[in-house]
């Protein structure tokens, strides 16, 4: 086992070294080609062409429209990019990330839906606002709620912060589920506005089809990656690293730790809110069921699976946690696996669709055992971990 | 705000709150034990409890009882409950041990970062929940009626059913037993030593691995006992039952001071009571909200919970 592990480690770092060794122009060309690939990917003619029958297992999903799967992947990728700032850079364990997503989604829904009670009952608004106008408002509100939640709680450390953020997200969800004054309880808010834009023939681009939303999300993600990358390389990013490595030492060196932690929290919240606006625009309907704790945990799993503190890792992780279970749905079709098994006269649903999260759970454990630092870790963090491993473990 | 409802239902709310609180407390002990020794939130503990609820129902099914069969005689019922407790505790304990051996031990060997444990915990949780979902065809499974539902005794307006009485007495017995085990026995001394300083304890000849395994098994046993009473209280179970109960129990552990056994017991009971009073006061749809509000408000003022963290450390 050790030998396999060693070989994998050396192979993955060899790829890293080789990519580093390439001239800058080649690296940028490669990146642009990859981005172009991502834009073409949701087209049926393209992804079906990629698959050579009889040679490869089809990598596209047969049970669900590939564009829809890619949209959900991109959605979780954007969320994991936001959570990566909080968990990966600043080292704050936030289990309630979907709370901010909810703030963003509900803001858009309330302001853009003609069914919103702000219009039908309270007459605060004359008519629904366009989607685009509400996006900055939603982001600002999510950011504000991040600051409001962070200010009293960020003095707590580690696991206590985790439980408080978890409690906060559950509170938002339960309030949204039960109260009827504005958010319509479980019935939710229908007819949420779509992003603007028309095709040349006059039909709207953003209706219910997934493909345009995927492209929009992809564009937003590229922008977010650029911003977060620059932020991580700035004074703020260095302060986050210092806090993550040793909070007390950072404070002693004159880093205002509380303020920078609040920054990380607020930026993460803003990205969460942004993701909420895009999601609400596509889904056309918002109620409390999307904000369940399971989803917060899924995003956290994405960040840590990919490798906390690394942008590439967050993207990879976010993609995998949606794509693997979706792809497992189609595995049965590919191999002609049985759908049910009869044991002692009882029928059990053993289709990969039903077992996909079971398999996913086992995969999570296996990946973490072999790569505890994540699939694509930040180099600095990987080095921190190597130091840990060198520390003498006395007796097991 | 319905104060009349609270005052009128006070005795009943207190009894049911205590029973629910006892179940929370028993599960919370598992979280707190593992946290006290390993500084690790064992997210998969909720599934340990969930499997226990099925363990009990399967035991009863093995004796030909299901949700439609009539209640057997009291003596036979007590025997069946005792059997179910043993079976569920053993099953939960072995699942807890399985989680420790497959999901946590390999990571500990490699000195993995704390967050990696969180992911394997989530993975184990998914795997167990989905496995049970498949095995039970994702249906709700009813548990048989065992003890008569009428009042056992009542003092003033305060009436107690046999199930409630049994739950409270067994839960107290388990908690006292666990407290004795950790504070008075040689094994307990080992647990406290590892909680205090794992490496030093290992140098002093404590078998660290075995102590950690023991802690998981103890937590599993408690969860198994809680599972039997949860079955009898709610009359059914489902593959995803662990999630909310686990969350509440974890909140209870934090409320009392995570890593502190007595804290978990007090936190659990308190949470059960506050939830009941609160839902009478504000309406039952807010029940789940109350738990978290109490938790957050308390953490603002006492950041380490009611009794503070201490499993190994001497109380300062």
């Amino acid at each position: 086992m050790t030998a396999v592990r060693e070989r994998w480690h050396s192979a993955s770092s060899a790829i890293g070294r080789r990519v580093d060794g390439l001239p800058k122009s080649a690296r940028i060309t490669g990146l642009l080609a990859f981005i172009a690939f991502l834009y073409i990917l949701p087209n049926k003619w393209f992804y079906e062409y990629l698959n050579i029958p009889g040679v490869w297992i089809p990598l596209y999903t047969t049970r669900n429209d590939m564009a829809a799967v890619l949209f959900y992947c991109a959605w979780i990728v954007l969320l994991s990019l936001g959570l990566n700032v909080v968990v990966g850079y600043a080292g704050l364990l936030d289990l309630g990330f979907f709370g901010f997503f909810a703030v963003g989604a509900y803001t858009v829904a309330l302001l853009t839906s003609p069914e919103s009670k702000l219009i039908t009952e309270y007459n605060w608004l004359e008519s629904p606002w366009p989607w685009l106008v509400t996006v900055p408002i939603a982001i600002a509100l999510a950011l504000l709620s991040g600051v409001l939640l962070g200010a009293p709680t960020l003095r707590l450390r580690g696991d206590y912060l985790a439980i408080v953020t978890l409690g906060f997200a559950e509170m938002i969800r339960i309030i949204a589920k039960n109260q009827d004054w504005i958010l319509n309880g479980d019935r939710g808010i229908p007819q949420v506005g779509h992003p603007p834009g028309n095709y040349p023939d006059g039909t709207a681009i953003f209706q219910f089809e997934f493909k345009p939303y995927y492209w929009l999300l992809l564009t937003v993600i590229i922008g977010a990656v650029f911003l977060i990358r620059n932020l991580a390389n700035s004074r703020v990013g260095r302060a986050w690293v210092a806090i993550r490595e040793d909070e007390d030492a950072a404070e002693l060196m004159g880093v205002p730790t509380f303020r920078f932690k609040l920054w990380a929290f607020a930026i993460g919240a803003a990205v969460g809110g942004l993701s909420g606006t895009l999601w609400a625009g596509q889904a056309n309907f918002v109620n409390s069921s999307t904000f369940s704790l399971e989803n917060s945990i899924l995003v956290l799993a994405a960040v840590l699976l990919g490798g906390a503190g690394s942008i590439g890792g967050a993207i990879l992780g976010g993609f995998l946690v949606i794509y693997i279970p979706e792809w497992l749905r189609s595995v049965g079709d590919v191999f002609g696996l049985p759908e049910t098994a009869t044991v002692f006269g009882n029928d059990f649903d053993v289709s990969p669709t039903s077992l996909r999260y079971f398999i996913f759970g086992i995969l999570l454990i296996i990946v973490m055992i072999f790569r505890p630092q994540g699939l694509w870790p930040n180099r600095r963090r990987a080095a921190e971990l190597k130091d840990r491993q060198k520390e003498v473990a006395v007796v097991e | 705000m319905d104060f009349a409802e609270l005052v009128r239902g006070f005795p009943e709310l207190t009894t049911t709150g205590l029973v629910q609180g006892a179940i929370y407390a028993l599960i919370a002990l598992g979280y707190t034990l593992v946290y006290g020794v390993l500084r690790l939130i064992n997210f998969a503990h909720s599934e340990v409890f969930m499997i226990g609820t099925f363990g009990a129902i399967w035991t009863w099914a093995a004796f030909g009882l299901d949700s439609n069969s009539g209640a057997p005689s009291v003596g036979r019922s007590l025997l069946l409950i005792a059997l179910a407790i043993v079976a569920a505790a053993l099953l939960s304990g072995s699942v807890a041990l399985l989680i420790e051996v497959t999901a946590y031990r390999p990571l500990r060997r490699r000195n993995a970062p704390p967050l990696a444990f969180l992911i394997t915990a989530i993975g184990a949780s998914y795997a167990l929940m989905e496995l049970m979902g498949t095995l039970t065809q994702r249906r709700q499974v009813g548990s048989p009626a065992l003890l008569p539902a009428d009042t056992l005794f009542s003092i003033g307006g305060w009436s107690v059913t046999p199930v409630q009485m049994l739950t409270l007495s067994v839960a107290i017995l388990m908690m006292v037993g666990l407290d004795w085990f950790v504070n008075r026995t040689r094994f307990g001394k080992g647990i406290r030593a590892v909680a205090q300083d794992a490496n030093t304890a290992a140098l002093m000849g404590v078998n660290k691995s075995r102590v950690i395994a023991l802690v998981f098994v103890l937590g599993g046993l408690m969860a198994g006992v809680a599972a039997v009473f949860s079955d009898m209280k709610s009359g059914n179970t489902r593959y995803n039952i662990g999630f909310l109960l686990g969350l509440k129990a974890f909140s209870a552990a934090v409320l009392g001071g995570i890593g502190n056994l007595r804290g978990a017991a007090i936190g659990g009971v308190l949470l059960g009571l506050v939830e009941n009073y609160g839902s009478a006061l504000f309406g039952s749809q807010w029940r789940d909200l109350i738990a978290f509000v109490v938790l957050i408000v308390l953490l603002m003022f006492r950041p380490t919970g009611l009794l503070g963290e201490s499993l190994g450390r001497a109380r300062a």
Side-chain angles (χ1 to χ4, degrees), chain A residues 230-300:
Chain A
N230 282 350
L231 205 59
N233 288 333
S234 70
R235 202 171 81 94
V236 184
R238 286 193 298 277
W240 285 338
V241 173
I243 292 170
R244 183 183 75 208
E245 288 186 357
D246 190 333
E247 196 174 332
D248 296 321
E251 181 81 54
L252 283 173
M253 290 296 140
V255 178
T257 53
F258 179 71
R259 203 198 307 160
F260 280 113
K261 286 201 300 191
L262 200 56
W263 255 112
F265 220 64
I267 288 170
V271 177
L274 171 66
S275 157
T277 63
L278 289 160
W279 182 83
Q282 198 285 323
N284 200 237
F285 171 75
V286 174
N287 84 349
S288 63
S289 59
T290 330
F291 315 130
S292 63
L293 185 59
E294 283 97 333
N295 279 335
S296 289
I297 289 177
L298 193 69
V299 177
L300 186 69

Side-chain angles (χ1 to χ4, degrees), chain B residues 31 46-47 49-50 238-247:
Chain B
Y31 283 105
S46 50
E47 312 316 324
F49 164 79
M50 178 272 292
R238 220 182 129 89
Y239 73 102
N240 56 6
I241 188 185
F243 188 74
L244 190 64
L245 267 165
L247 200 59

Side-chain angles (χ1 to χ4, degrees), chain A residues 5 9 87 93 95 152-153 156 159-160 162-164 166-168 170-175 178-179 181 293-294 297-298 300-301 304-305 308 346-350 354-355 357-358 360-362 364-365 368-373 381 385 388-389 391-396, chain B residues 35 39-41 43 102-103 105-116 118-120 122-124 126-128 130-131 134-138 199 202-203 207-209 212 243-244 247 250-251 254 257-258 285-286 288-289 292-293 295-296 299-300 303-305 309:
Chain A
R5 213 155 64 204
H9 276 241
V87 177
L93 187 51
L95 285 179
T153 56
L156 297 170
D159 300 323
Y160 288 98
I163 180 80
V164 168
L166 185 155
F168 158 77
E170 277 294 283
M171 278 163 67
I172 287 201
R173 188 184 66 80
I174 295 166
I175 291 173
N178 286 333
Q179 66 82 23
W181 319 305
L293 185 59
E294 283 97 333
I297 289 177
L298 193 69
L300 186 69
L304 298 178
L305 180 72
N346 288 316
D347 283 331
F348 294 104
D349 183 3
V350 292
S354 155
L355 287 176
Y357 274 101
F358 171 71
F360 178 64
I362 304 245
L364 274 185
I365 298 178
M368 275 294 131
I369 288 175
F370 282 97
R371 278 188 85 86
Q373 70 276 44
R381 251 194 117 119
L385 285 171
R388 271 178 69 94
Q389 280 176 352
E391 282 170 17
V392 191
V394 184
V395 197
E396 175 55 51
Chain B
Y35 190 90
R39 316 264 117 198
L40 160 76
I41 305 176
F43 263 99
T102 55
R105 188 171 291 177
L107 287 180
R108 236 182 7 257
R109 284 247 166 84
R110 314 192 50 209
N111 234 340
L115 287 179
L118 202 61
I119 294 305
T120 51
I122 293 170
Y126 270 135
L128 288 171
E130 292 299 313
L131 184 68
T134 307
L135 280 180
T136 60
Q137 290 141 315
R138 294 178 201 272
N199 287 339
L203 289 172
N207 187 334
K208 200 168 110 190
S209 263
I212 291 170
F243 188 74
L244 190 64
L247 200 59
F250 177 59
S251 306
V254 177
I258 192 156
Q285 76 271 32
W286 299 111
D288 297 337
L289 188 69
F292 296 114
V293 173
L295 180 73
I296 290 176
L299 283 185
M300 295 290 102
T304 50
E309 303 178 357

Side-chain angles (χ1 to χ4, degrees), chain B residues 2-305:
Chain B
D2 194 353
F3 281 105
E5 170 72 25
L6 178 65
V7 174
R8 195 179 51 74
F10 190 78
E12 205 210 325
L13 289 171
T14 309
T15 336
T16 50
L18 281 174
V19 170
Q20 187 63 55
I23 293 172
Y24 289 155
L26 284 174
I27 310 172
L29 286 171
Y31 283 105
T32 236
L33 271 169
V34 170
Y35 190 90
V37 171
L38 289 177
R39 316 264 117 198
L40 160 76
I41 305 176
N42 180 11
F43 263 99
H45 191 59
S46 50
E47 312 316 324
V48 170
F49 164 79
M50 178 272 292
I51 289 193
T53 61
F54 283 104
I57 284 182
W58 287 337
T59 314
W60 291 324
F63 287 90
L65 289 168
D66 61 25
S67 49
N68 298 321
S69 53
S73 69
V74 174
R76 204 171 132 79
S77 286
L78 285 176
L79 194 68
L80 281 169
I81 292 170
L83 264 177
I85 289 178
V86 173
L90 284 180
L91 185 63
S92 287
S94 7
V95 171
L97 186 64
L98 181 77
I99 293 173
E100 138 70 3
V101 172
T102 55
Y104 296 143
R105 188 171 291 177
L107 287 180
R108 236 182 7 257
R109 284 247 166 84
R110 314 192 50 209
N111 234 340
L115 287 179
F117 289 89
L118 202 61
I119 294 305
T120 51
I122 293 170
S125 187
Y126 270 135
L128 288 171
M129 191 160 88
E130 292 299 313
L131 184 68
M132 288 310 287
T134 307
L135 280 180
T136 60
Q137 290 141 315
R138 294 178 201 272
R139 281 189 207 137
Q140 182 165 307
V141 183
S143 90
L146 283 171
L147 288 170
D150 49 348
T151 308
L152 181 68
F153 62 85
S154 69
I155 307 163
W158 215 293
S159 55
V160 180
T161 66
V163 171
Q164 292 171 336
M165 191 63 213
L166 191 69
T167 309
L168 289 177
S169 31
V170 173
I172 291 171
L173 208 67
M174 294 300 293
M175 287 183 226
V176 172
L178 185 68
D179 198 66
W180 169 81
F181 185 84
V182 172
N183 286 322
R184 292 276 178 274
T185 62
R186 238 182 112 219
F187 291 111
K189 201 182 255 176
I191 294 177
R192 281 178 292 139
V194 175
Q196 220 166 50
D197 185 333
N199 287 339
T200 311
L203 289 172
M204 299 297 137
V206 178
N207 187 334
K208 200 168 110 190
S209 263
R210 201 193 290 163
V211 163
I212 291 170
L214 177 68
V215 160
F216 273 90
V217 172
L218 280 177
L221 294 180
M222 297 289 149
V225 175
V228 177
F229 293 117
S230 162
D231 277 347
M232 291 203 289
K233 181 175 181 292
S234 60
N236 57 60
T237 186
R238 220 182 129 89
Y239 73 102
N240 56 6
I241 188 185
F243 188 74
L244 190 64
L245 267 165
L247 200 59
K248 297 263 188 72
F250 177 59
S251 306
V254 177
L255 200 65
I258 192 156
N260 184 325
L261 288 183
R262 289 173 191 176
I266 292 176
V269 171
L270 203 67
L271 195 67
L273 286 175
V274 169
E275 241 184 39
N276 254 11
Y277 297 148
S279 59
L281 212 53
F282 301 104
S284 57
Q285 76 271 32
W286 299 111
R287 168 181 283 270
D288 297 337
L289 188 69
I290 292 156
F292 296 114
V293 173
V294 170
L295 180 73
I296 290 176
V297 170
L298 186 102
L299 283 185
M300 295 290 102
F301 294 102
R302 280 194 69 91
T304 50

